[in-house]
Structures are given as C-alpha cells and as structure tokens.
Amino acid sequence: EHSEIELAGLERRLAEQRARYDAAAARLSAARREAAGRLAADVTSLMAVLGMPGGRFAIEVGTDAGAAPSVAGADAVEFQVTANPGQPVRPVARVASGGELSRISLAVQVAAAHAGSRTCMIFAAVDRGVGGAVAEMVGRQLAAPGRRAPALCVTHLPQVASQADHQLRVSKLSDGRTSRMSVTELSVAERVEELARMLGGVELTRKAREHASEMLNAARAARAS
C-alpha cells in the first residue's frame, strides 16, 4: 500500500549514502596520490643503492568516479618502473627481470616500513640474480627493517647472510623412508664455518674462513656505526 513512499525513501537514503561514499573515496584518492609521490621517491632512491642507478619507480593512481562502490575506493593503482635512465616507466610486471623484481620488492618493503610497525617480514629469493657488491647492499637493506621489527630472510649468499643479527641453518634429514627439517641457530664460530662453506666449495680453506670472519666483523662494525 505504501510501496511508492517507501521506494522514494530508499532512493533518498541510497543517494545520501552514495554521496558519503563519493566524498570518502575522493579523500582516499587524494591521500593515495600524496603518499604515492613520497613512496615512489623513496623507492627510486633505494633502487640506486641496490644496484640500479638511474632507475626510476613511479606509482600511477587512476580514479574511475563512475565505478561501482568498493571497499577499496574508486582507484586503480599500478606500480611502474624503468631500470635504465632515459627510458619511460612501464608496468613492473612487464619490464622487470627476476633479479630486478626481487630488488624492487625489497625497496618497496623497506620504504613502506614505518617506525611503529611490529609486523614480522619474511623475504625469500629477494637476492635472486645478484652477487658481489650488490648482494652486500641487498643484505644491508634487508637488515634495515630488522631494526624495527622481526625480519626473516632465506638466502644462499654469504654477502646477505653476514649482515644478519642471527643466522639459522636449515637442513633436510632423511633416513631413506621419511624426511624432516632441522633448524639450528649458529654461534659466531659456526657462522664463520657456514659462511666459509657458502663462499668456497666442498673443501674449506683457511682463506675462506678468514674471508668469512672478515665479512662478519665488517657487518658488525657497520651496524654499530
């Protein structure tokens, strides 16, 4: 009997809620654009440290005001990058190689981590495709979030492992019928042996152990400074 009155009331309420949503979505879009500029600048700086000098990271925030309401707002966010100076930025998924993608991911994580965060971060294969001095810089950047919150990293590179506060050795044990994993925290002396093994080959040499000890001492000095 009152369907027209009730329908008009529902349409008025719907219009009011849509106006509230549009206003909230507009505020979110503005905040995203402001944050995108800061984050892109920080990630670009970290890319240079991680062996991609001249590279550039950008974040495009596109807004579709006519899109259906969503809990995430009216924006489509895309990460873009170029690893080479003079080239335009393109979507990360299209242009970044495996090693570049790992380092960009690390740069984003480090740049986005804030002082109040206590979230445990886990990195796996973030050092893929790098070595030498770049691997050492990756290790240093991995250690940075660990000063604010727990950070775990799976690595096969001694340059990365030497930067950690604690080092765990993960081993697979098998009796021919079943397999199990063993995780052991290494002492300082055991870390020297493990890093020497990662540096060298089957047979550990005195020079490999000396190099491993030097890497640990250098990492400790860098953390203390």
Side-chain angles (χ1 to χ4, degrees):
E1 295 178 0
H2 306 287
S3 60
E4 290 186 3
I5 297 175
E6 291 182 355
L7 182 59
L10 290 173
E11 288 176 340
R12 185 175 61 254
R13 288 178 58 194
L14 179 60
E16 291 172 352
Q17 295 301 323
R18 180 59 194 245
R20 289 181 60 190
Y21 168 82
D22 288 341
R27 291 194 299 270
L28 179 59
S29 296
R32 277 186 172 135
R33 289 192 174 88
E34 182 183 356
R38 296 196 308 269
L39 180 60
D42 290 344
V43 173
T44 297
S45 297
L46 286 166
M47 285 173 60
V49 175
L50 294 172
M52 289 181 280
R56 186 163 62 91
F57 185 83
I59 304 174
E60 181 178 319
V61 181
T63 302
D64 183 1
S70 164
V71 68
D75 303 319
V77 180
E78 183 178 65
F79 285 178
Q80 301 176 334
V81 70
T82 177
N84 303 304
Q87 293 186 355
V89 293
R90 297 178 61 191
V92 169
R94 295 185 184 177
V95 298
S97 66
E100 290 170 347
L101 190 60
S102 297
R103 283 177 280 168
I104 292 167
S105 172
L106 172 59
V108 171
Q109 293 281 356
V110 171
H114 54 84
S117 175
R118 300 301 298 171
T119 302
C120 178
M121 289 178 284
I122 301 176
F123 300 95
V126 75
D127 53 13
R128 180 176 59 184
V130 301
V134 173
E136 183 176 344
M137 295 309 301
V138 168
R140 291 184 183 180
Q141 292 305 316
L142 282 165
R147 298 187 183 99
R148 294 185 289 266
L152 300 175
C153 175
V154 181
T155 183
H156 297 281
L157 294 181
Q159 295 95 329
V160 173
S162 64
Q163 301 295 324
D165 293 314
H166 305 277
Q167 186 173 347
L168 308 175
R169 179 173 56 216
V170 181
S171 307
K172 184 169 73 172
L173 308 175
S174 176
D175 59 7
R177 291 177 298 177
T178 59
S179 299
R180 62 187 179 90
M181 303 303 294
S182 170
V183 181
T184 306
E185 183 174 1
L186 304 181
S187 66
V188 174
E190 289 170 333
R191 288 188 71 180
V192 171
E193 291 295 303
E194 184 68 12
L195 290 174
R197 183 191 62 79
M198 297 167 76
L199 283 164
V202 176
E203 188 174 339
L204 299 184
T205 65
R206 178 177 57 82
K207 287 187 176 181
R209 289 187 176 93
E210 289 175 351
H211 189 187
S213 181
E214 183 181 353
M215 291 176 72
L216 281 175
N217 290 334
R220 280 196 293 267
R223 288 196 297 270
S225 60

